[in-house]
Amino acid sequence: MSYRLGVDVGGTFTDLLLINEDTGQTYTAKVPSTPHDSSVGVLNGIDRICEESGVPVSNIHRVMHGTTVATNAVLTGKGAKVALVTTKGYKQVLQVARSFCPGGLGGWVSYVKKPLLAPLELTVEADERIDAKGDVVKSLDEAALIETLKSLKEKGGFTALTISFINAYVNGVNEQRAREVAKTIFPDMPISISCEVVPELQEYERTETTVVNSYVRPEVAKYVDNLYGALTEKMGDNLHLSILRSDGGLASARSAADSPVNLLMSGPAGGVAGAIHFCKQGGFDDILTFDMGGTSTDVALIQNATARVRRETRVGDVTVRAPSVDVRTVGAGGGSLAFVPELTKALRVGPESAGAKPGPAAYMKGGEEPTVCDANVVLGYLPADVQLGGKMSINRDAAVAAVKKVADAMEISVEEAAEGIIKIANEAMFGALRLVSVEQGFDPREFALVGFGGAGPLHANALGILTQAWPAIIPPGPGVLCAYGDATTQVRNEASQTLVSLLSDVSIDKFKDTLQSLAEKASSTLIADGIDASEQEITFQADIRYTGQAFQLCVPFTMNDLDEQGLDLLKAQFDAEHTQLFTFALEEGHEVVMVRAIATAKSTPLPTPPQPDGSYTLADCEITHSKIYYEGQYHEAVIYDRSKLHSDLVVTGPAIVCEMDSTTVVLPGFVANVDSVGNLLITPETQA
């Protein structure tokens, strides 16, 4: 039998999910992450999951991997030293940047700009010029560039080189030639050129993105090479390694190492992909997702089973022009600290977190301050005796002692303090969900709500009440859903070209020729990875704005759509989205800024995982009885084993549903049942 493996590396745990491609049977495992070298944790996890499942490692032929290597390189400042070659007269392009200071009206007072990733002392100029139409005004002065690069080499102190010339997005001939010249001086150094990394207008964003690509490239390439070498040694040469991109698609190991700037949001994209996979199978195409971990919660909106994608990715104070799933993050997680300021005596939760060490007090790893996790333990939502199948001990007395600090400061009971902590955390996540729904023109009541991550299922029912998005869905294996997303998404690549032309002036024939050229370019990368053109699907996007606007909206379409409706299709879709976001649309002035082709590998749907034995009764699924505290009073509750629940059973709240990687709370007045693909659906009892 053939198996595929999804691997998601987080800050605390590395999650693994092994799928039998013939039957859909799954196996999961969690092992501690190894920050010094993430590949060690991955290999440890493979040993663990193969041992527990009894599957020989040689039967695994595909590994799909979500990684934070590129993200961590930016956040920790441990990327490569980058040198930059710009057009003569544009040496300060990164220093000039954009006039934006975070922090409100007075942000410029306290804002301290971090050192540039390509410092001025390592920035040199090339004598060349391309005009805005792409014509060569001045060819590259190769002799002068050779002398400049030799001087730069003598100076040393860098390990990666970036080339970004003015207007290279229209015509990259001078950049390509400069790279050939640079290779004679730096034969073993990775060189990134902007016309290949991000062929889009706006020189600062293009240069910054290409520099970031160079900054993380050596680290990512080293990691991918080491991991691939270790995996092939363990699994054989018939192994295909793919890395999850920020936009939710997969890239081959080779492609990921060449363009690592597309991996900056690899982690959150996996959870969104996993949620789409299970919800689409269950008949839910419009969903709101929230992934609640130990430190933060990531939320996203999915419409028509497709994640909304931003054209920019921000990590720390670095913003790059690379596509990523539109995920918003709020500092509310299981480890978020609760405290009462001396001055206001008002309860606060987060954004500070106890992290993995010392962690929540209930975990008995040295933590003593109250966290959201401790509040869940105090309220009985996180049972002390059955959490994680008993593999992780939870000390309720320690949680009570921690939360009592907050209770004493506010002169209320421990239970009231714990419930207050949970409500504040829920409101913070509700605010983030409003950002991706209400503030984007969407009514959350028209969506289902999907909770996952280690802590998401604990709060899903409560967030369903706040958003009125029903049902609240807990997919199978919610604590390892990112790994499931890694294992079930598709290889993807895109190619783009800047146009900047009024839609009324665009020739439909020339437009189609441009699309066809981009399609071939996007497809060629997949072909190089062994995916034939017949096994690919090609879709297109156009970035459109009204003339004079500083931003644009992305309009997706296919070639068939264009053949049937012509360019009016783009105008109509743009006007509809603009009206949704801003309540109005204009009759004219539509401008096409950018077009892109997206090549996606076709995939055969995996079989639905085997469901539990239908002969189980609700009594068979009971683990024990307990109590939970909700809305000021205790309620009798039953704790159930999720692995035994099937579609013929209905769980009536208050109840707690436990599984290896997470715990779900069903509040009083609500019911939960399992659908045909294993999703746990929570709805108000009146709607059941």
Side-chain angles (χ1 to χ4, degrees), residues 638-675:
V638 181
I639 301 177
Y640 294 98
D641 180 355
R642 181 171 179 176
S643 66
K644 296 181 180 179
L645 292 175
H646 54 81
S647 57
D648 293 333
L649 302 177
V650 176
V651 172
T652 302
I656 297 169
V657 180
C658 288
E659 53 192 306
M660 185 280 289
D661 53 302
S662 194
T663 301
T664 302
V665 174
V666 183
L667 296 172
F670 295 85
V671 296
N673 66 286
V674 179
D675 68 8

Side-chain angles (χ1 to χ4, degrees), residues 286-309:
D286 297 335
I287 58 176
L288 293 168
T289 71
F290 77 101
D291 176 2
M292 187 177 182
T295 302
S296 62
T297 297
D298 299 323
V299 304
L301 181 143
I302 313 300
Q303 191 175 32
N304 298 322
T306 303
R308 295 174 68 84
V309 174

Side-chain angles (χ1 to χ4, degrees), residues 264-599:
L264 291 175
M265 294 293 285
S266 174
V272 172
I276 292 173
H277 172 78
F278 279 111
C279 291
K280 186 177 181 180
Q281 285 190 327
F284 300 97
D285 290 339
D286 297 335
I287 58 176
L288 293 168
T289 71
F290 77 101
D291 176 2
M292 187 177 182
T295 302
S296 62
T297 297
D298 299 323
V299 304
L301 181 143
I302 313 300
Q303 191 175 32
N304 298 322
T306 303
R308 295 174 68 84
V309 174
R310 291 183 292 182
R311 301 312 303 178
E312 287 189 338
T313 301
R314 185 171 182 84
V315 175
D317 63 351
V318 173
T319 301
V320 299
R321 190 66 62 81
S324 64
V325 173
D326 188 7
V327 172
R328 309 297 174 90
T329 302
V330 62
S336 294
L337 293 169
F339 60 98
V340 179
E342 184 67 29
L343 182 61
T344 63
K345 296 293 184 181
L347 178 61
R348 300 285 299 275
V349 179
E352 294 83 5
S353 172
K357 290 184 180 181
Y363 287 177
M364 298 298 289
K365 293 183 178 180
E368 297 180 353
E369 299 304 313
T371 65
V372 172
C373 174
D374 294 315
N376 277 312
V377 174
V378 170
L379 297 175
Y381 300 165
L382 196 55
D385 53 348
V386 294
Q387 167 67 0
L388 297 180
K391 293 183 179 181
M392 179 179 287
S393 60
I394 293 177
N395 189 310
R396 189 176 188 278
D397 292 338
V400 170
V403 176
K404 193 173 186 301
K405 295 180 181 180
V406 169
D408 290 346
M410 300 180 67
E411 298 181 350
I412 58 177
S413 70
V414 172
E415 290 85 357
E416 289 173 318
E419 193 162 38
I421 292 171
I422 297 302
K423 286 185 175 180
I424 291 175
N426 289 341
E427 287 291 344
M429 290 184 283
F430 178 43
L433 287 166
R434 284 179 60 87
L435 282 177
V436 297
S437 58
V438 176
E439 294 194 18
Q440 300 279 357
F442 296 98
D443 186 342
R445 293 172 295 185
E446 297 175 356
F447 292 75
L449 179 69
V450 186
F452 54 95
L458 285 166
H459 298 256
N461 198 159
L463 279 176
I465 295 172
L466 292 174
T467 60
Q468 288 298 296
W470 301 112
I473 303 173
I474 313 300
V480 295
L481 193 69
C482 288
Y484 214 117
D486 298 340
T488 54
T489 191
Q490 301 153 299
V491 176
R492 167 188 173 121
N493 187 48
E494 66 177 48
S496 60
Q497 181 174 322
T498 300
L499 289 185
V500 191
S501 175
L502 285 172
L503 193 58
S504 57
D505 295 338
V506 173
S507 162
I508 185 68
D509 292 331
K510 289 184 178 180
F511 190 68
K512 288 183 177 180
D513 289 342
T514 299
L515 295 178
Q516 185 59 41
S517 176
L518 291 174
E520 292 172 359
K521 184 177 179 181
S523 177
S524 64
T525 299
L526 271 64
I527 292 174
D529 293 328
I531 302 171
D532 191 77
S534 62
E535 299 174 354
Q536 302 177 26
E537 293 179 345
I538 307 293
T539 57
F540 302 95
Q541 294 176 347
D543 292 348
I544 302 177
R545 67 186 180 190
Y546 293 125
T547 301
Q549 280 185 321
F551 72 98
Q552 53 267 354
L553 298 177
C554 181
V555 175
F557 63 97
T558 65
M559 190 64 80
N560 288 338
D561 295 334
L562 198 62
D563 290 337
E564 294 174 3
Q565 303 177 49
L567 294 174
D568 288 341
L569 163 76
L570 306 183
K571 179 179 182 296
Q573 288 196 32
F574 173 82
D575 285 347
E577 185 164 358
H578 199 277
T579 300
Q580 178 179 296
L581 290 172
F582 307 111
T583 72
F584 74 93
L586 303 179
E587 288 295 326
E588 54 187 25
H590 298 73
E591 190 173 52
V592 182
V593 180
M594 182 88 57
V595 290
R596 66 183 61 85
I598 301 168

Side-chain angles (χ1 to χ4, degrees), residues 207-268:
T207 303
E208 175 81 336
T209 300
T210 313
V211 166
V212 172
N213 192 76
S214 293
Y215 184 75
V216 300
R217 189 173 174 180
E219 190 74 14
V220 172
K222 176 184 175 184
Y223 173 73
V224 170
D225 289 345
N226 290 345
L227 179 61
Y228 184 74
L231 290 177
T232 52
E233 183 178 339
K234 192 181 276 282
M235 301 176 181
D237 294 333
N238 190 27
L239 173 74
H240 186 78
L241 173 64
S242 300
I243 309 294
L244 190 70
R245 294 161 44 111
S246 302
D247 60 6
L250 288 171
S252 68
R254 177 194 59 79
S255 178
D258 289 341
S259 300
V261 73
N262 291 313
L263 310 180
L264 291 175
M265 294 293 285
S266 174

Side-chain angles (χ1 to χ4, degrees), residues 32-57:
S33 294
T34 50
H36 67 282
D37 184 352
S38 300
S39 63
V40 174
V42 173
L43 297 173
N44 291 341
I46 291 173
D47 291 338
R48 170 79 63 83
I49 202 167
C50 287
E51 178 184 346
E52 293 182 355
S53 66
V55 175
V57 70

